[in-house]
Each structure stands twice: as structure tokens, then as C-alpha cells.
Amino acid sequence: MAAGRYQDAHGYFQGLIEVQSGSGWRAVKAPMPGDTIRNQDPYGGVDWITCPDAGRCMTVGAYVDNKGRRELFADVLARRTWRSSRLPLPVGAAANPLAYLDYVTCLSPAHCLAVGNFAQSGGAQQGLFEREISGSWHASLAPLPAGAPASPDATINEVSCPTISFCAATGNYQDSTGDSQGVLETLAGGAWHAVTAPAPASDRTNRYMETVSCPIAKWCVAGGSTNYSGLLESYARGRWTVTVAPLPAKGSDAIFQSTSVSCPSTRMCAAFGAFLKHSPISEGQGLLETYRA
């Protein structure tokens, strides 16, 4: 399965699902919730797709309803039929929540977690968790570390859930000075806990956390960057620790973006990114990192 969007004959964006079965691909228009029936341009793009079982898939995205509000939806494939449903939002969401979902993962067909952001009634952008438990969706505001401002311009970028009771997520927010801070979230004991991503002692520039992989509960690696350095954050024994990404040559500006870290076990991880090599001339280079216990 692959998910994205296309422009129809009228120039309107529609959600696109590509299905590979046997030796060929076929295209499916992503269905929309029923409250788009009077909107010719629902802008129904889907941004991520996951298939926890053969023949059972889910994709998530955002759309514009009949009243011009940007809402969230999920499309589920079961028994060869796609069905669409509007997703809930946390209490206090704005009348037009300008909501967005960037990523979804499913541990099983009835246990999924999608992440993104939404606007509160006062206009503040907050991180968002949409969690499916036993087939029912529940929306919650992503917590932020103590001291975060009331209008943090926050978002959650990616999440990894090796078990039903433990997940880890990466995101970003702006602090009271307007600088970008990475946030690392863990779900344990039925509640989300947030900490500001640790930074190297010699680099206190902006931080951006983009990706995370957890092969087992309570052990994860997250990837991101500062303005100058790539960051690999490790979670073990209940705390996050930072490692500046090593470079194969003298350089700077290393970066890891979405889905760039994968850990099949606690003994091996791989990450891909890019950096600026300084000599003999400055030029961009691909970057591959491996970790072995």
C-alpha cells in the first residue's frame, strides 16, 4: 500500500491510495467522511498508511468539511472495502481546528496511534494524539514540559509503540524566547510524559526531533538535529540521553528527518541523514549511522 494525493479533473486535491496485489498496482480514491458531501473541494489528502495484517490497512489525513473547517479522518480497509470516519478532537479545540495528522502506526487492527497537531479555541497550536483502543478512537492533547508557553506552536511528528502500554513520540515546540525545542514523549502507566530533548553541552541552538524507533518497551532511539549537529537520543532506564551523531569526515549541519531511524532490536540500530562535508570543498553528503551494543 502507498498513500498520497492527486488533482482531479476539476483541479481539486483528492486522497490517493495505491494497492499492489499480485503483479500490478491499482489506484483507489480515498473515501471521505459524510460531512463533505456538499464540499466540491474537500482537500482530502492522506499522509501515511500502515497495514497491521494482510488485508487490513489504515490511512489517516485531514479534510475540509461542509462548513469549511479542517478536520481529521481515518480510512480503514477491511474485507476488501474502504470505510471512512471522522476522528474526534480534544476538548477545547477551535471551531475550525486546522487539524493535521502526519503519522500512524498500528500494533494490531484495533490498536492504532496517530499523531499531529490542532488549534485550540484561543488559537494556540498544540500537539495531538489520536489513539484507537479496541476499535474506539480517543483524542488527547500532547503534554509539554514544565515552563512551555501557552502558545507553543507544538506538533508531534512520529511515534513508535512496541506494546499496547508503552509508546514513545517525537515533536517540537517553541519556548518563551521563540527558540525551537525538541520534545520527547513517553506513554507509560496510561499517561503521557513529556521532556525537553537533551542537547549537547556545547550546542544550545534550536532543536528539532523528528523520528523514533522502539523495538521493545522502555528502550528507544530518536533522531533529530540542532542548527549544527545531528542528534541521536536514547531512552533506557526511564531517561533520555543525547549523543551527537558522529561524522565520517570533518563537517557540520547533520540532520535526521522523518522515518530515518530503525531499531530491529536493542542491539542494532541504523539511521540515515545528511551532513555538510567541509573539506576539500564544502558539499552535501549522505550520512549512514549504525549502532551495535
Side-chain angles (χ1 to χ4, degrees), residues 18-261:
E18 296 279 358
V19 182
Q20 192 273 338
S21 180
S23 59
W25 287 87
R26 63 184 177 89
V28 178
K29 178 182 175 181
M32 293 280 100
D35 58 353
T36 63
I37 193 168
R38 297 193 305 274
N39 188 357
Q40 290 184 319
D41 187 14
Y43 197 79
V46 287
D47 292 289
W48 199 262
I49 195 164
T50 185
C51 299
D53 285 337
R56 175 81 181 200
C57 299
M58 175 179 291
T59 184
V60 295
Y63 71 101
V64 178
D65 68 11
N66 292 330
K67 298 180 179 179
R69 302 173 300 197
R70 196 169 80 204
E71 304 283 357
L72 301 174
F73 73 102
D75 285 347
V76 176
L77 172 66
R79 298 178 182 176
R80 300 186 179 183
T81 300
W82 286 97
R83 291 182 173 84
S84 186
S85 61
R86 176 169 164 169
L87 297 182
L89 286 169
V91 173
N96 183 0
L98 300 173
Y100 178 73
L101 289 175
D102 191 48
Y103 188 86
V104 63
T105 184
C106 294
L107 190 64
S108 70
H111 292 84
C112 299
L113 181 61
V115 296
N117 58 62
F118 74 104
Q120 291 180 306
S121 57
Q125 179 180 296
Q126 300 282 0
L128 172 66
F129 293 119
E130 292 275 1
R131 195 176 185 201
E132 184 192 28
I133 303 173
S134 300
S136 179
W137 286 95
H138 308 269
S140 62
L141 181 150
L144 288 174
S151 296
D153 195 27
T155 190
I156 303 297
N157 296 317
E158 196 169 307
V159 66
S160 180
C161 297
T163 68
I164 292 175
S165 58
F166 178 85
C167 298
T170 53
N172 304 303
Y173 71 99
Q174 284 189 346
D175 63 21
S176 57
T177 66
D179 292 333
S180 180
Q181 301 287 345
V183 62
L184 297 168
E185 310 256 6
T186 51
L187 173 67
W192 286 97
H193 309 273
V195 297
T196 300
S202 59
D203 185 352
R204 298 294 178 174
T205 57
N206 293 301
R207 275 165 276 176
Y208 312 91
M209 298 308 302
E210 301 294 336
T211 182
V212 64
S213 179
C214 305
I216 64 171
K218 301 180 182 180
W219 197 99
C220 307
V221 172
S225 66
T226 69
N227 288 0
Y228 303 106
S229 305
L231 301 181
L232 295 167
E233 310 266 6
S234 302
Y235 184 78
R237 301 181 182 89
R239 60 177 297 198
W240 292 92
T241 57
V242 63
T243 298
V244 176
L247 300 180
K250 186 178 180 180
S252 65
D253 300 332
I255 187 170
F256 300 102
Q257 295 185 318
S258 301
T259 64
S260 59
V261 172

